[in-house]
Amino acid sequence: MRISVIGSGYVGLVTGMGFVELGNEVIFVDIDERKIEMINSGKPTIYEEGIEDLMKKHAGKYKATKDYREAVLNSDVTFIAVGTPSREDGSIDLKYVKEASKSIGEALREKEGYHVVVVKSTVLPGTTEEVIKPILEKYSGKKAFKDFGLAMNPEFLREGVALKDFLNPDRIVIGTRDERTKQVLEELYAPINAPKLFTDIKTAEMIKYASNAFLATKISFANEIGNICKKLGIDSWKVFEGVGLDHRISPHFFRTGIGWGGSCFPKDTKALVRKAEELGEDPIIIKAAIEVNERQPLKLIELLKKHVPELEGKKIGVLGLAFKPNTDDVRETRAYVVIKKLIEEGAKVIAYDPQARENFKRFYPDVGERIEYASTPREVLEATDVILIVTEWPQFEELDYSDKIVIDGRRVRAAERTARVYEGVCW
Ligand SMILES: NC(=O)c1ccc[n+]([C@@H]2O[C@H](COP(=O)([O-])OP(=O)(O)OC[C@H]3O[C@@H](n4cnc5c(N)ncnc54)[C@H](O)[C@@H]3O)[C@@H](O)[C@H]2O)c1
């Protein structure tokens, strides 16, 4: 099939290249010229394992453009994968989705055959039919479910293993209202062997929010128990190994630590809370999950002060800036909260991350005063005796932490084994 993907970030690029791998041709659309140039020269716009190899392998089967008309007229299906960030008050900002819908609508006006538009961006229940559909209809002069198809197909990939998740998902959820759209998507996803759940459109939208809110709550719950365990001298990882053996609970997503970050859980939980409040509901569980998560990274500083009571002028090493390993994404990273607090307390920071340094510099440019960026983790270990572990990159397992005070937010076993003084946040 010929596919166009609007937005070439984490989800757009992975989805698009995933579809290429499945035998389709893909045209990426973005408003960012730099990303278009990168894709057209075979370079990924983000760091994600396996993407660069796929881009090499399939050169000629994909391209990128700014031109919606070219993309829509030369494809059968258009996926919307633009960002849906939070506004200041936590509510969802639909500006990119609205702009993309308008441009797709304008291009659809000229399209002769049947075209299917699929919303992949995470949007609150009701958005596809109440916001996106009217814009598409207005600018195309056509009717949804009659002249063109419309579906909502939430994405569940995890950054760091995104390509693997796209090609081997736990499930594919497709919200549609017309048979023709359903058939197109059934055909497109036929090569993927996973349960396929067909629902109405707003149910598909809600499945994404309920999944993210549940996972975020699961981690916050584990961290809350983990904080109690820490005070009692209990290893919460052992506790959750025992808890996870209950088949009703499942062992996944129980790694206690300094909490969740990234582009999804923080903004999606906040958006769901805002939506619930708008509807007169008080979602106290989700609100508590967010609050636990906001406090959790500061536990690292609390534990640090047990060993280094005065941070003023002290050099502190920070290992890891990405919100999780194997990505360069720093959106809502716990590293930001930790480093901000260290700097407020007068500490000097030397930080290292294998992929996320450049992105993190947007928060704290390398001005040398309060923060400097190391080129290797060893440089951090040479510069200071006090280390905070914020992201569990595999290479941090290869370091020797002897003579160091290590406060670990993620459980790096080499540090636990070799550090002179070792504190785990929940163990
Ligand atoms: N990142 C994840 O792990 C993940 C997982 C599941 C779902 N999602 C959802 O997928 C959506 C995209 O997330 P992301 O992380 O890929 O975002 P991103 O910021 O990495 O990418 C969005 C891209 O859209 C482009 N864009 C913005 N406006 C545009 C327009 N009008 N036309 C064309 N391109 C435009 C931007 O330049 C950018 O390249 C969000 O709704 C997010 O919640 C993300």
mmCIF file of all heavy atoms in Angstrom, residues 47-49 159-160 255 318-330 333 335 352-357 359 377 389-399 401 408 410-415:
data_model
loop_
_atom_site.group_PDB
_atom_site.id
_atom_site.type_symbol
_atom_site.label_atom_id
_atom_site.label_comp_id
_atom_site.label_asym_id
_atom_site.label_seq_id
_atom_site.Cartn_x
_atom_site.Cartn_y
_atom_site.Cartn_z
ATOM 1 N N TYR A 47 17.001 8.961 17.810
ATOM 2 C CA TYR A 47 17.796 7.758 18.035
ATOM 3 C C TYR A 47 16.862 6.638 18.474
ATOM 4 O O TYR A 47 16.148 6.770 19.461
ATOM 5 C CB TYR A 47 18.867 7.995 19.119
ATOM 6 C CG TYR A 47 19.545 6.696 19.466
ATOM 7 C CD1 TYR A 47 20.478 6.134 18.595
ATOM 8 C CD2 TYR A 47 19.206 5.981 20.610
ATOM 9 C CE1 TYR A 47 21.058 4.913 18.869
ATOM 10 C CE2 TYR A 47 19.784 4.757 20.892
ATOM 11 C CZ TYR A 47 20.707 4.226 20.012
ATOM 12 O OH TYR A 47 21.269 3.008 20.274
ATOM 13 N N GLU A 48 16.845 5.574 17.705
ATOM 14 C CA GLU A 48 16.028 4.412 18.067
ATOM 15 C C GLU A 48 16.656 3.209 17.383
ATOM 16 O O GLU A 48 16.921 3.238 16.175
ATOM 17 C CB GLU A 48 14.582 4.655 17.601
ATOM 18 C CG GLU A 48 13.544 3.708 18.134
ATOM 19 C CD GLU A 48 13.352 3.691 19.655
ATOM 20 O OE1 GLU A 48 13.144 4.742 20.260
ATOM 21 O OE2 GLU A 48 13.431 2.597 20.224
ATOM 22 N N GLU A 49 16.904 2.169 18.174
ATOM 23 C CA GLU A 49 17.630 1.010 17.651
ATOM 24 C C GLU A 49 16.956 0.419 16.411
ATOM 25 O O GLU A 49 15.729 0.239 16.387
ATOM 26 C CB GLU A 49 17.723 -0.059 18.747
ATOM 27 C CG GLU A 49 18.897 -0.968 18.545
ATOM 28 C CD GLU A 49 18.914 -2.109 19.549
ATOM 29 O OE1 GLU A 49 18.473 -1.902 20.691
ATOM 30 O OE2 GLU A 49 19.356 -3.194 19.148
ATOM 31 N N GLU A 159 9.514 3.780 23.594
ATOM 32 C CA GLU A 159 10.788 4.270 23.075
ATOM 33 C C GLU A 159 11.900 3.382 23.619
ATOM 34 O O GLU A 159 11.826 2.883 24.730
ATOM 35 C CB GLU A 159 11.006 5.726 23.490
ATOM 36 C CG GLU A 159 10.158 6.662 22.660
ATOM 37 C CD GLU A 159 10.300 8.123 23.065
ATOM 38 O OE1 GLU A 159 11.359 8.509 23.567
ATOM 39 O OE2 GLU A 159 9.325 8.862 22.872
ATOM 40 N N GLY A 160 12.937 3.196 22.805
ATOM 41 C CA GLY A 160 14.042 2.308 23.198
ATOM 42 C C GLY A 160 13.907 0.944 22.538
ATOM 43 O O GLY A 160 14.890 0.338 22.160
ATOM 44 N N ARG A 255 9.503 -2.080 38.372
ATOM 45 C CA ARG A 255 10.865 -1.704 38.774
ATOM 46 C C ARG A 255 10.786 -0.389 39.534
ATOM 47 O O ARG A 255 10.607 0.664 38.942
ATOM 48 C CB ARG A 255 11.740 -1.550 37.533
ATOM 49 C CG ARG A 255 11.960 -2.868 36.778
ATOM 50 C CD ARG A 255 12.347 -2.580 35.348
ATOM 51 N NE ARG A 255 13.515 -1.723 35.327
ATOM 52 C CZ ARG A 255 14.734 -2.146 35.012
ATOM 53 N NH1 ARG A 255 14.934 -3.387 34.650
ATOM 54 N NH2 ARG A 255 15.741 -1.327 35.020
ATOM 55 N N VAL A 318 26.399 12.969 37.484
ATOM 56 C CA VAL A 318 25.075 12.443 37.149
ATOM 57 C C VAL A 318 25.224 11.525 35.936
ATOM 58 O O VAL A 318 25.670 11.963 34.870
ATOM 59 C CB VAL A 318 24.076 13.593 36.848
ATOM 60 C CG1 VAL A 318 22.767 13.045 36.300
ATOM 61 C CG2 VAL A 318 23.814 14.415 38.103
ATOM 62 N N LEU A 319 24.876 10.262 36.110
ATOM 63 C CA LEU A 319 24.941 9.323 34.983
ATOM 64 C C LEU A 319 23.535 9.129 34.415
ATOM 65 O O LEU A 319 22.646 8.614 35.093
ATOM 66 C CB LEU A 319 25.520 7.982 35.446
ATOM 67 C CG LEU A 319 26.998 7.988 35.823
ATOM 68 C CD1 LEU A 319 27.448 6.609 36.278
ATOM 69 C CD2 LEU A 319 27.875 8.476 34.667
ATOM 70 N N GLY A 320 23.347 9.582 33.177
ATOM 71 C CA GLY A 320 22.059 9.419 32.516
ATOM 72 C C GLY A 320 21.257 10.702 32.492
ATOM 73 O O GLY A 320 21.046 11.337 33.523
ATOM 74 N N LEU A 321 20.853 11.098 31.269
ATOM 75 C CA LEU A 321 20.020 12.292 31.100
ATOM 76 C C LEU A 321 18.716 11.963 30.373
ATOM 77 O O LEU A 321 17.708 12.643 30.555
ATOM 78 C CB LEU A 321 20.787 13.360 30.297
ATOM 79 C CG LEU A 321 22.068 13.890 30.956
ATOM 80 C CD1 LEU A 321 22.885 14.725 29.972
ATOM 81 C CD2 LEU A 321 21.742 14.712 32.200
ATOM 82 N N ALA A 322 18.739 10.910 29.543
ATOM 83 C CA ALA A 322 17.521 10.516 28.808
ATOM 84 C C ALA A 322 16.476 10.024 29.811
ATOM 85 O O ALA A 322 16.823 9.571 30.898
ATOM 86 C CB ALA A 322 17.856 9.399 27.833
ATOM 87 N N PHE A 323 15.195 10.079 29.422
ATOM 88 C CA PHE A 323 14.172 9.690 30.402
ATOM 89 C C PHE A 323 14.175 8.188 30.639
ATOM 90 O O PHE A 323 13.659 7.709 31.648
ATOM 91 C CB PHE A 323 12.782 10.198 29.979
ATOM 92 C CG PHE A 323 12.021 9.304 29.042
ATOM 93 C CD1 PHE A 323 11.143 8.344 29.541
ATOM 94 C CD2 PHE A 323 12.163 9.425 27.674
ATOM 95 C CE1 PHE A 323 10.436 7.515 28.692
ATOM 96 C CE2 PHE A 323 11.457 8.609 26.816
ATOM 97 C CZ PHE A 323 10.596 7.644 27.324
ATOM 98 N N LYS A 324 14.788 7.444 29.723
ATOM 99 C CA LYS A 324 15.029 6.018 29.928
ATOM 100 C C LYS A 324 16.163 5.594 29.005
ATOM 101 O O LYS A 324 16.557 6.370 28.126
ATOM 102 C CB LYS A 324 13.758 5.219 29.684
ATOM 103 C CG LYS A 324 13.222 5.321 28.257
ATOM 104 C CD LYS A 324 12.459 4.142 27.943
ATOM 105 C CE LYS A 324 11.202 3.916 27.470
ATOM 106 N NZ LYS A 324 10.659 2.780 27.047
ATOM 107 N N PRO A 325 16.708 4.371 29.177
ATOM 108 C CA PRO A 325 17.843 4.000 28.327
ATOM 109 C C PRO A 325 17.435 3.785 26.873
ATOM 110 O O PRO A 325 16.241 3.579 26.580
ATOM 111 C CB PRO A 325 18.318 2.669 28.921
ATOM 112 C CG PRO A 325 17.508 2.402 30.112
ATOM 113 C CD PRO A 325 16.365 3.324 30.144
ATOM 114 N N ASN A 326 18.412 3.826 25.996
ATOM 115 C CA ASN A 326 18.237 3.526 24.566
ATOM 116 C C ASN A 326 17.374 4.525 23.819
ATOM 117 O O ASN A 326 16.749 4.194 22.815
ATOM 118 C CB ASN A 326 17.701 2.095 24.363
ATOM 119 C CG ASN A 326 18.599 1.083 25.022
ATOM 120 O OD1 ASN A 326 19.826 1.160 24.898
ATOM 121 N ND2 ASN A 326 18.017 0.177 25.771
ATOM 122 N N THR A 327 17.312 5.733 24.312
ATOM 123 C CA THR A 327 16.644 6.800 23.577
ATOM 124 C C THR A 327 17.426 8.092 23.813
ATOM 125 O O THR A 327 18.206 8.187 24.773
ATOM 126 C CB THR A 327 15.167 6.966 24.018
ATOM 127 O OG1 THR A 327 14.575 8.037 23.276
ATOM 128 C CG2 THR A 327 15.029 7.302 25.496
ATOM 129 N N ASP A 328 17.200 9.077 22.922
ATOM 130 C CA ASP A 328 17.791 10.399 23.155
ATOM 131 C C ASP A 328 16.720 11.376 23.637
ATOM 132 O O ASP A 328 16.928 12.575 23.672
ATOM 133 C CB ASP A 328 18.452 10.915 21.867
ATOM 134 C CG ASP A 328 17.461 11.046 20.714
ATOM 135 O OD1 ASP A 328 16.306 10.577 20.857
ATOM 136 O OD2 ASP A 328 17.828 11.614 19.669
ATOM 137 N N ASP A 329 15.562 10.849 24.003
ATOM 138 C CA ASP A 329 14.421 11.683 24.400
ATOM 139 C C ASP A 329 14.603 12.170 25.834
ATOM 140 O O ASP A 329 14.843 11.362 26.736
ATOM 141 C CB ASP A 329 13.135 10.843 24.275
ATOM 142 C CG ASP A 329 11.883 11.697 24.217
ATOM 143 O OD1 ASP A 329 11.941 12.874 24.597
ATOM 144 O OD2 ASP A 329 10.832 11.169 23.800
ATOM 145 N N VAL A 330 14.475 13.483 26.037
ATOM 146 C CA VAL A 330 14.636 14.029 27.391
ATOM 147 C C VAL A 330 13.342 14.683 27.888
ATOM 148 O O VAL A 330 13.344 15.369 28.909
ATOM 149 C CB VAL A 330 15.786 15.071 27.457
ATOM 150 C CG1 VAL A 330 17.123 14.410 27.174
ATOM 151 C CG2 VAL A 330 15.548 16.225 26.487
ATOM 152 N N THR A 333 12.209 14.205 31.566
ATOM 153 C CA THR A 333 13.174 13.286 32.181
ATOM 154 C C THR A 333 13.366 13.621 33.662
ATOM 155 O O THR A 333 13.365 14.803 34.052
ATOM 156 C CB THR A 333 14.534 13.326 31.437
ATOM 157 O OG1 THR A 333 15.452 12.491 32.144
ATOM 158 C CG2 THR A 333 15.111 14.725 31.334
ATOM 159 N N ALA A 335 16.014 13.345 35.136
ATOM 160 C CA ALA A 335 17.329 13.995 35.243
ATOM 161 C C ALA A 335 17.173 15.512 35.386
ATOM 162 O O ALA A 335 17.933 16.165 36.102
ATOM 163 C CB ALA A 335 18.177 13.677 34.014
ATOM 164 N N TYR A 352 26.717 12.846 32.217
ATOM 165 C CA TYR A 352 27.025 12.075 31.004
ATOM 166 C C TYR A 352 25.789 11.312 30.554
ATOM 167 O O TYR A 352 25.036 10.767 31.365
ATOM 168 C CB TYR A 352 28.154 11.060 31.278
ATOM 169 C CG TYR A 352 28.306 10.099 30.120
ATOM 170 C CD1 TYR A 352 28.963 10.506 28.951
ATOM 171 C CD2 TYR A 352 27.740 8.825 30.160
ATOM 172 C CE1 TYR A 352 29.048 9.651 27.857
ATOM 173 C CE2 TYR A 352 27.829 7.967 29.072
ATOM 174 C CZ TYR A 352 28.478 8.398 27.914
ATOM 175 O OH TYR A 352 28.545 7.561 26.830
ATOM 176 N N ASP A 353 25.588 11.296 29.237
ATOM 177 C CA ASP A 353 24.577 10.405 28.648
ATOM 178 C C ASP A 353 25.067 10.013 27.252
ATOM 179 O O ASP A 353 25.560 10.868 26.505
ATOM 180 C CB ASP A 353 23.219 11.117 28.525
ATOM 181 C CG ASP A 353 22.118 10.140 28.146
ATOM 182 O OD1 ASP A 353 22.034 9.751 26.952
ATOM 183 O OD2 ASP A 353 21.348 9.735 29.037
ATOM 184 N N PRO A 354 24.930 8.730 26.876
ATOM 185 C CA PRO A 354 25.449 8.310 25.569
ATOM 186 C C PRO A 354 24.699 8.918 24.378
ATOM 187 O O PRO A 354 25.267 9.028 23.293
ATOM 188 C CB PRO A 354 25.278 6.785 25.570
ATOM 189 C CG PRO A 354 24.775 6.401 26.905
ATOM 190 C CD PRO A 354 24.435 7.616 27.690
ATOM 191 N N GLN A 355 23.446 9.285 24.539
ATOM 192 C CA GLN A 355 22.673 9.775 23.385
ATOM 193 C C GLN A 355 21.968 11.115 23.603
ATOM 194 O O GLN A 355 21.629 11.791 22.641
ATOM 195 C CB GLN A 355 21.591 8.745 22.989
ATOM 196 C CG GLN A 355 22.122 7.432 22.451
ATOM 197 C CD GLN A 355 22.836 7.573 21.112
ATOM 198 O OE1 GLN A 355 22.637 8.539 20.373
ATOM 199 N NE2 GLN A 355 23.680 6.622 20.789
ATOM 200 N N ALA A 356 21.685 11.465 24.849
ATOM 201 C CA ALA A 356 20.745 12.566 25.082
ATOM 202 C C ALA A 356 21.401 13.898 25.435
ATOM 203 O O ALA A 356 20.709 14.871 25.716
ATOM 204 C CB ALA A 356 19.778 12.164 26.199
ATOM 205 N N ARG A 357 22.731 13.939 25.379
ATOM 206 C CA ARG A 357 23.417 15.147 25.819
ATOM 207 C C ARG A 357 22.944 16.390 25.051
ATOM 208 O O ARG A 357 22.596 17.407 25.645
ATOM 209 C CB ARG A 357 24.925 14.950 25.651
ATOM 210 C CG ARG A 357 25.715 16.143 26.112
ATOM 211 C CD ARG A 357 27.178 15.827 26.218
ATOM 212 N NE ARG A 357 27.761 15.496 24.924
ATOM 213 C CZ ARG A 357 29.078 15.420 24.708
ATOM 214 N NH1 ARG A 357 29.916 15.632 25.692
ATOM 215 N NH2 ARG A 357 29.548 15.107 23.524
ATOM 216 N N ASN A 359 20.223 16.988 23.344
ATOM 217 C CA ASN A 359 18.846 17.367 23.664
ATOM 218 C C ASN A 359 18.753 18.000 25.053
ATOM 219 O O ASN A 359 18.019 18.961 25.260
ATOM 220 C CB ASN A 359 17.917 16.138 23.603
ATOM 221 C CG ASN A 359 17.596 15.757 22.161
ATOM 222 O OD1 ASN A 359 17.763 16.563 21.245
ATOM 223 N ND2 ASN A 359 17.137 14.539 21.958
ATOM 224 N N PRO A 377 31.558 8.120 30.476
ATOM 225 C CA PRO A 377 31.167 7.979 31.888
ATOM 226 C C PRO A 377 32.396 7.990 32.799
ATOM 227 O O PRO A 377 32.335 8.453 33.935
ATOM 228 C CB PRO A 377 30.449 6.627 31.930
ATOM 229 C CG PRO A 377 30.769 5.921 30.665
ATOM 230 C CD PRO A 377 31.154 6.953 29.662
ATOM 231 N N ILE A 389 22.887 7.943 39.918
ATOM 232 C CA ILE A 389 22.505 7.225 38.690
ATOM 233 C C ILE A 389 21.030 7.502 38.413
ATOM 234 O O ILE A 389 20.156 7.215 39.236
ATOM 235 C CB ILE A 389 22.774 5.708 38.812
ATOM 236 C CG1 ILE A 389 24.271 5.479 39.073
ATOM 237 C CG2 ILE A 389 22.312 4.994 37.530
ATOM 238 C CD1 ILE A 389 24.677 4.025 39.230
ATOM 239 N N VAL A 390 20.801 8.094 37.233
ATOM 240 C CA VAL A 390 19.450 8.575 36.912
ATOM 241 C C VAL A 390 18.806 7.749 35.790
ATOM 242 O O VAL A 390 17.589 7.595 35.733
ATOM 243 C CB VAL A 390 19.522 10.079 36.541
ATOM 244 C CG1 VAL A 390 18.179 10.607 36.091
ATOM 245 C CG2 VAL A 390 20.010 10.893 37.732
ATOM 246 N N THR A 391 19.635 7.219 34.883
ATOM 247 C CA THR A 391 19.119 6.397 33.784
ATOM 248 C C THR A 391 19.967 5.127 33.715
ATOM 249 O O THR A 391 21.200 5.206 33.801
ATOM 250 C CB THR A 391 19.263 7.145 32.430
ATOM 251 O OG1 THR A 391 18.871 8.506 32.610
ATOM 252 C CG2 THR A 391 18.419 6.512 31.345
ATOM 253 N N GLU A 392 19.319 3.975 33.539
ATOM 254 C CA GLU A 392 20.066 2.706 33.608
ATOM 255 C C GLU A 392 20.591 2.270 32.239
ATOM 256 O O GLU A 392 20.236 1.208 31.721
ATOM 257 C CB GLU A 392 19.218 1.611 34.283
ATOM 258 C CG GLU A 392 17.983 1.133 33.536
ATOM 259 C CD GLU A 392 16.763 2.014 33.681
ATOM 260 O OE1 GLU A 392 16.899 3.243 33.819
ATOM 261 O OE2 GLU A 392 15.649 1.481 33.605
ATOM 262 N N TRP A 393 21.469 3.087 31.644
ATOM 263 C CA TRP A 393 22.103 2.684 30.383
ATOM 264 C C TRP A 393 22.945 1.429 30.628
ATOM 265 O O TRP A 393 23.666 1.373 31.641
ATOM 266 C CB TRP A 393 22.999 3.802 29.854
ATOM 267 C CG TRP A 393 22.259 4.905 29.181
ATOM 268 C CD1 TRP A 393 21.822 6.073 29.755
ATOM 269 C CD2 TRP A 393 21.856 4.965 27.807
ATOM 270 N NE1 TRP A 393 21.183 6.851 28.817
ATOM 271 C CE2 TRP A 393 21.193 6.193 27.617
ATOM 272 C CE3 TRP A 393 21.997 4.100 26.714
ATOM 273 C CZ2 TRP A 393 20.670 6.581 26.381
ATOM 274 C CZ3 TRP A 393 21.481 4.477 25.488
ATOM 275 C CH2 TRP A 393 20.821 5.703 25.330
ATOM 276 N N PRO A 394 22.912 0.435 29.726
ATOM 277 C CA PRO A 394 23.661 -0.804 29.955
ATOM 278 C C PRO A 394 25.154 -0.572 30.219
ATOM 279 O O PRO A 394 25.758 -1.275 31.021
ATOM 280 C CB PRO A 394 23.471 -1.604 28.661
ATOM 281 C CG PRO A 394 22.275 -1.007 27.997
ATOM 282 C CD PRO A 394 22.129 0.399 28.490
ATOM 283 N N GLN A 395 25.750 0.456 29.572
ATOM 284 C CA GLN A 395 27.198 0.638 29.782
ATOM 285 C C GLN A 395 27.549 1.055 31.205
ATOM 286 O O GLN A 395 28.702 0.944 31.603
ATOM 287 C CB GLN A 395 27.839 1.588 28.757
ATOM 288 C CG GLN A 395 27.225 2.937 28.627
ATOM 289 C CD GLN A 395 26.269 2.984 27.459
ATOM 290 O OE1 GLN A 395 25.264 2.311 27.436
ATOM 291 N NE2 GLN A 395 26.583 3.796 26.466
ATOM 292 N N PHE A 396 26.579 1.519 31.987
ATOM 293 C CA PHE A 396 26.884 1.874 33.378
ATOM 294 C C PHE A 396 27.150 0.619 34.214
ATOM 295 O O PHE A 396 27.675 0.702 35.311
ATOM 296 C CB PHE A 396 25.754 2.713 33.999
ATOM 297 C CG PHE A 396 25.523 4.036 33.280
ATOM 298 C CD1 PHE A 396 24.337 4.729 33.448
ATOM 299 C CD2 PHE A 396 26.490 4.587 32.454
ATOM 300 C CE1 PHE A 396 24.120 5.942 32.791
ATOM 301 C CE2 PHE A 396 26.292 5.792 31.783
ATOM 302 C CZ PHE A 396 25.098 6.470 31.956
ATOM 303 N N GLU A 397 26.772 -0.538 33.662
ATOM 304 C CA GLU A 397 27.067 -1.815 34.336
ATOM 305 C C GLU A 397 28.534 -2.202 34.170
ATOM 306 O O GLU A 397 29.007 -3.116 34.812
ATOM 307 C CB GLU A 397 26.196 -2.950 33.758
ATOM 308 C CG GLU A 397 24.747 -2.926 34.186
ATOM 309 C CD GLU A 397 24.525 -3.270 35.665
ATOM 310 O OE1 GLU A 397 25.508 -3.531 36.361
ATOM 311 O OE2 GLU A 397 23.371 -3.240 36.092
ATOM 312 N N GLU A 398 29.228 -1.531 33.242
ATOM 313 C CA GLU A 398 30.621 -1.918 32.989
ATOM 314 C C GLU A 398 31.618 -1.051 33.764
ATOM 315 O O GLU A 398 32.816 -1.175 33.574
ATOM 316 C CB GLU A 398 30.909 -1.820 31.493
ATOM 317 C CG GLU A 398 30.386 -3.037 30.751
ATOM 318 C CD GLU A 398 29.905 -2.693 29.370
ATOM 319 O OE1 GLU A 398 30.492 -1.795 28.740
ATOM 320 O OE2 GLU A 398 28.911 -3.319 28.932
ATOM 321 N N LEU A 399 31.131 -0.179 34.619
ATOM 322 C CA LEU A 399 32.040 0.734 35.314
ATOM 323 C C LEU A 399 32.437 0.183 36.678
ATOM 324 O O LEU A 399 31.743 -0.648 37.249
ATOM 325 C CB LEU A 399 31.356 2.097 35.491
ATOM 326 C CG LEU A 399 30.900 2.790 34.205
ATOM 327 C CD1 LEU A 399 30.100 4.043 34.537
ATOM 328 C CD2 LEU A 399 32.088 3.141 33.313
ATOM 329 N N TYR A 401 32.939 1.299 40.400
ATOM 330 C CA TYR A 401 32.532 2.397 41.278
ATOM 331 C C TYR A 401 33.272 2.384 42.623
ATOM 332 O O TYR A 401 32.837 3.035 43.563
ATOM 333 C CB TYR A 401 31.016 2.333 41.524
ATOM 334 C CG TYR A 401 30.178 2.454 40.259
ATOM 335 C CD1 TYR A 401 29.884 1.338 39.482
ATOM 336 C CD2 TYR A 401 29.656 3.684 39.857
ATOM 337 C CE1 TYR A 401 29.114 1.439 38.331
ATOM 338 C CE2 TYR A 401 28.879 3.801 38.709
ATOM 339 C CZ TYR A 401 28.612 2.666 37.947
ATOM 340 O OH TYR A 401 27.844 2.784 36.817
ATOM 341 N N ASP A 408 21.659 5.501 43.812
ATOM 342 C CA ASP A 408 21.187 4.885 42.571
ATOM 343 C C ASP A 408 19.658 4.962 42.468
ATOM 344 O O ASP A 408 18.938 4.427 43.315
ATOM 345 C CB ASP A 408 21.654 3.405 42.584
ATOM 346 C CG ASP A 408 21.402 2.695 41.271
ATOM 347 O OD1 ASP A 408 20.785 3.310 40.370
ATOM 348 O OD2 ASP A 408 21.817 1.526 41.143
ATOM 349 N N ARG A 410 18.076 3.760 39.775
ATOM 350 C CA ARG A 410 17.576 2.789 38.784
ATOM 351 C C ARG A 410 18.048 1.351 38.993
ATOM 352 O O ARG A 410 17.662 0.485 38.253
ATOM 353 C CB ARG A 410 17.998 3.251 37.386
ATOM 354 C CG ARG A 410 17.473 4.605 36.963
ATOM 355 C CD ARG A 410 15.983 4.635 36.863
ATOM 356 N NE ARG A 410 15.507 5.912 36.328
ATOM 357 C CZ ARG A 410 14.238 6.277 36.317
ATOM 358 N NH1 ARG A 410 13.306 5.490 36.798
ATOM 359 N NH2 ARG A 410 13.874 7.438 35.834
ATOM 360 N N ARG A 411 18.927 1.147 39.877
ATOM 361 C CA ARG A 411 19.499 -0.162 40.209
ATOM 362 C C ARG A 411 20.489 -0.702 39.179
ATOM 363 O O ARG A 411 20.169 -1.595 38.371
ATOM 364 C CB ARG A 411 18.430 -1.216 40.466
ATOM 365 C CG ARG A 411 19.041 -2.370 41.258
ATOM 366 C CD ARG A 411 18.082 -3.061 42.153
ATOM 367 N NE ARG A 411 18.766 -3.614 43.308
ATOM 368 C CZ ARG A 411 18.152 -4.249 44.295
ATOM 369 N NH1 ARG A 411 16.860 -4.392 44.264
ATOM 370 N NH2 ARG A 411 18.820 -4.712 45.313
ATOM 371 N N VAL A 412 21.658 -0.137 39.233
ATOM 372 C CA VAL A 412 22.769 -0.618 38.417
ATOM 373 C C VAL A 412 23.582 -1.551 39.302
ATOM 374 O O VAL A 412 24.160 -1.134 40.310
ATOM 375 C CB VAL A 412 23.589 0.580 37.876
ATOM 376 C CG1 VAL A 412 24.883 0.120 37.254
ATOM 377 C CG2 VAL A 412 22.749 1.348 36.853
ATOM 378 N N ARG A 413 23.567 -2.835 38.964
ATOM 379 C CA ARG A 413 24.136 -3.856 39.862
ATOM 380 C C ARG A 413 25.633 -3.673 40.094
ATOM 381 O O ARG A 413 26.130 -3.960 41.181
ATOM 382 C CB ARG A 413 23.861 -5.259 39.308
ATOM 383 C CG ARG A 413 22.384 -5.560 39.160
ATOM 384 C CD ARG A 413 21.731 -5.810 40.508
ATOM 385 N NE ARG A 413 20.301 -6.067 40.342
ATOM 386 C CZ ARG A 413 19.508 -6.493 41.315
ATOM 387 N NH1 ARG A 413 19.981 -6.686 42.530
ATOM 388 N NH2 ARG A 413 18.234 -6.703 41.085
ATOM 389 N N ALA A 414 26.352 -3.184 39.060
ATOM 390 C CA ALA A 414 27.801 -2.990 39.225
ATOM 391 C C ALA A 414 28.064 -1.958 40.324
ATOM 392 O O ALA A 414 29.004 -2.107 41.108
ATOM 393 C CB ALA A 414 28.424 -2.532 37.915
ATOM 394 N N ALA A 415 27.228 -0.948 40.393
ATOM 395 C CA ALA A 415 27.403 0.082 41.428
ATOM 396 C C ALA A 415 27.095 -0.511 42.799
ATOM 397 O O ALA A 415 27.815 -0.276 43.775
ATOM 398 C CB ALA A 415 26.484 1.265 41.130
#
